[in-house]
Structures are given as structure tokens and as C-alpha cells.
Amino acid sequence: MTPPQDDRPARGVEGDAAANPWLLRFALAILLLLAGTVMWSSSAWLTERYSENTRVRAELRGTLYSGQLQSELQRNSVVPMMLARDPALISALSSGDFATTSARLITAQKEIGAASIRLLDASGRTVAATDRQILGANFVAAPYFVDAMRSRDTVFTVSPSDHGGFDFTYSRVIADSSRTLGVIVVGTDLSRLEQSWAGISDAVAVTDSTGQVILSTEGRWRGLPLDEALALRPAPNAIERAFQVTSDWTTPPGDAWVKGRAVMQTETRIPFRGWRMYSFSTYESTRERVFAVLAMEATGFAMLAAAIFYVLSRRAQRRSVAYMRESADLRALNARLTREIAERERMQRELRVAEQTVQQSSKLAALGEMSAGVSHELNQPLAAMKTYLAGARLLLDRGRSEEALSSFQRIDDLVDRMGSITRQLKSYARKGGEAFEPVDLRAGVSNALTMMEPQLRARPVRIVRNLPRGPVMVYCDRIRLEQVIINLLRNAVDATKGVRDARIEIGIETGANAVVTVRDNGPGVSDLDNLFEPFFTTKKPGEGTGLGLAISSGIVSDFGGRLTAHNAEDDGGAVFELVLPLYDPASRGAPSTLAAE
């Protein structure tokens, strides 16, 4: 064997060199913190600055758009007044000759640039129009006709269009010195402005004095209040907003949501009938400019970090040689631990098999003690059956068959009682496993008392039962549960052997959990700390193995419960409490856990 070498000098050199990596790591941490602070501050400052620039440009565009709209409206507003004074139109309405009137209106439309021109007579019938397909159509109920007939000035009307959207018309009455001849209607084409707005901003909307959208680059918004129009495409929910804020962390909070995206909203007042223009702009340009600056900053910090990582990697290369030398020892240690784990698992399996064997042996031992009492129980029904048979034979000889039938009925009841006794013995003798099922605690206590009935009759023991009226359901193995209760009752019977007025109380309480209490008036337990330890017993040598409570505690633990004991404070005696979780049908039979009490 090679003697151990003195590695203290090497460790000293290693310790001197180890200071540098820690300094490098500290420098790297400071660099990362500085980078994060600088980039966060830059992002906030640049976002605020570029967002303000975007808002100013949006406001300038809104002013430009509103000027274009107002100019278009004013340009068409003077057309009805000019046409209403045209002698040719007045003459045509007076004479009823409209042969050349439509051609005249078409010529005027080309010169003026209006969307449409139509001439209505006093009855509302179209007598001339730039669109010859509507000749003869009657518009007596149209708002522009009704409003024009009521006023002598030019009237502006916004009315729903047949093709969606709205028609914007100027109308004016044509009259001579004596009567009203008709109405001239000039349509204004504002759709060209909508087309020019589209593509520059995300969305533009114009509302009238009531807040209704009358012009918009979004066709579905027309005719709706602005709030309802924005709600046509719902804003993202809370989770989607969180992801969007995470991904677009350079974007300030949006003023509104359009097509599921946060946008900047600007408002411009149009000096025409209380109209307002709303422009919605995205933050794309802001993000692009901010990301460009942040990318430059990140590149600089990345170069510094790369230098630090290079220094650290050289140190890691030197240490990797030492790690390779240690890897062989670690592999050997891993193999040894694997063998130990496999050995431990094998011992645990053997321990579980031994524990099940001890449990079954304990049950069979208890079954042997009860066999004498059970034989006595069977002898009593047999003797009674013999008496009833003799009486029935005598009654039959005397012709009293009805009374003989009652004797046979009593014999049948005795046979059922004998069958129940033998069935309980067979079920108790069967080996319990994992047959978990919903079990009523009251039935378990009753079956345990029935099994213990021969021992309880051997000497005077008063049994006091305090059971609820309704079922108390738990999820466990019925046979093993009865084994635990029988074990607690046997211990209580043994503890009251020297007591004159022996008394055992057994009760069931429900709350957050189900609790079975077994209490006796014996001398109590002297050593509560070791009570549930294997091979610990307070009985005399030869009277007990010390495994009953240890096995019972293990069974209760398998059920998801606990078994505790303490001495009563008032009149002495031991109190054992069996706590089990209540059965929950919603869990579909899965073992539950104890609720907090």
C-alpha cells in the first residue's frame, strides 16, 4: 500500500489560486447587475422619449386628417347653393322637361368633383341624377329631403347607406318666387379619405356629436359607439396580457386595445358639428428604436462577459484534470452505494413479509383463545335445538302442528346464529391484504364485540357503547380494522382483571376525522413512550409477546391514520384513540390523509 502523501503545500497553492476565480465570479456578478441596471434604465428613458415622439406624430397626423376632412366638407357645402340658383334647373322643374337635366348634372359633377348629384321634385321623386339607375325613385321620407323642405338654407345630413356605412349629403330647396319646386341633393365622397388614412395608422375613427362612429378604416366599427367598436375584437385576457407585457417589456401601458394589441390613442377635435377624430397607433416603431439601442448596449456587455468567461474557462480547464482523478473514486463509491441500496431494499422486503407473518400469527393466536368460548357458544344452541326438537315431536304426536312450527322456527334462528359465529371465525382467520373498501366503523365495532363475546362473558365486565346513529364511513381493510379493535378490547379486558367493578367504554366520534375511543378503568399505562415499540409489554412473562400494539399501530398507519394512548386524568385507566380519515366518495377509493384538527 502506498503511504499517504503530504498535500499541504499543494493545497496552499490551490488556495492562493482559488481566490482569483472568486474575484472573477464577483466581477461577473457586478457586471451582470450593472448591465441589467443600465439596460433597464435605458429602456425606460428611451421608451418614454420615443413614445412621446410617436404621440406627437400621431397628433400631427390627426390635425392633418381633420383638415382634409373639413376641407372636403366645405368644398361640397357651396355646391347646393350654386345649383339651386341655376336657371336651367329652375326652368326644368317649372316646365317638367328633364331631357337634358341629368347630362347637365353629370357635367357639374365632373367639374366640381362631388360624389353624386340628384334632383328631386316637390313630391320627392328623382327627376334627374348623375346615377341614371335611380331615376324615378322616390325619396320623400329621406332625411335630406325632409330637412331641406323645412329649411331655406343648405342642410347637411348623415344617413345610413344601403351598402353599409353612411351617406354624407348637402341638400337645398329650389324655389321660384311663388312656390317650392324641388330639392337638389349633393353627395360627398369621404371614402377616399378613409382609404388614404389606412396604412399610415393602425386605425382611424371619426365620431359624430353623439359618439357614433361614422367614418373608420375598420369597416365593422361604423354605426357603433366607440367603446362597442373597440370591443368587437376583445382585448387579451389576463394571462395573454401578462405574456405580452413580458415579451414587449419596452412598451408602455396602452391607451386602448385594437385587434388584441395595445395601441396609443390620440383624439383630435374637428370644428364641424361636434365631430371628433380618434387615431390608434402601435408601438412598433418605438420598440424597434429601443431594441436597436439596447442591442448595442447588450453587445458591449457581452464582450466584457466573454472576456470574464474566458478567464474562468482557463481556470475550469485546470480544475478538470483534478476532477478526472477524483471520478474513479466517485464511481467506486457509487457502485458500493448501489450494492448497499439493493441490500437494504431486499431486507425491507423480507421485513414486510415477516411483519405480515407476525400479524397472521397474532390473529391465529387470538383465534385459538376464542375457540374455547366459541365452542361453548355452539353448545348452547345445540342443547336448545335438542329441547325444541323433542317438544316439536311431542306436539306433532298430539296434533298441535302450529305450535310445532313455532319450535321449528326457533331451531332455524339458532342455526342462523351458529352460522354467523362460524362465518366470523372464518373471516377473521382469513389473511388480510389490500382489500380496501368503504367500511362503517359501527359495523366494525359491533363485529369486534361479537368476536370478543365469549371472553367478555367469562367474567363480569360492563361494556358501555357510545355509537352514533348514522354510518361513519372510512376506507380500509375490514378484517385488519376488526383485528385492531379486537386487540384494543383484549388489552382493556386484561387491564381490568384485578378491578372489582370492571368497565370498558367504547365510542365513536366524528369531526374532521373519525375517532374510535377504547377506555378502561384499570391501573393505566406506566410507560407511554415505549408502548408501541415491538416486544414491549406490561403483562407477566408468558402472557403476551409485546407485538399486539406495534402491529396495530402499523396497520392503522397503512390506513392513513394514527393510534395513540394516554392515561385518563379523572379516574385513572388507559384511553386508546384510533383516528382514521373519513371516506370521501369523490376521491374514488384513493386513501386519504388526516385532516388538521
Side-chain angles (χ1 to χ4, degrees), residues 564-575:
T564 60
H566 64 275
N567 292 323
E569 297 180 357
D570 46 3
D571 56 352
V575 180

Side-chain angles (χ1 to χ4, degrees), residues 359-375:
Q359 291 180 8
Q360 184 66 11
S361 300
S362 177
K363 288 169 56 177
L364 294 177
L367 189 64
E369 294 181 4
M370 289 186 286
S371 61
V374 171
S375 64

Side-chain angles (χ1 to χ4, degrees), residues 44-65:
W45 182 76
L46 292 173
T47 299
E48 182 180 359
R49 180 180 176 184
Y50 293 151
S51 297
E52 185 63 26
N53 293 339
T54 303
R55 187 177 295 276
V56 171
R57 290 197 300 270
E59 291 176 353
L60 292 176
R61 284 198 302 270
T63 303
L64 177 62
Y65 293 163

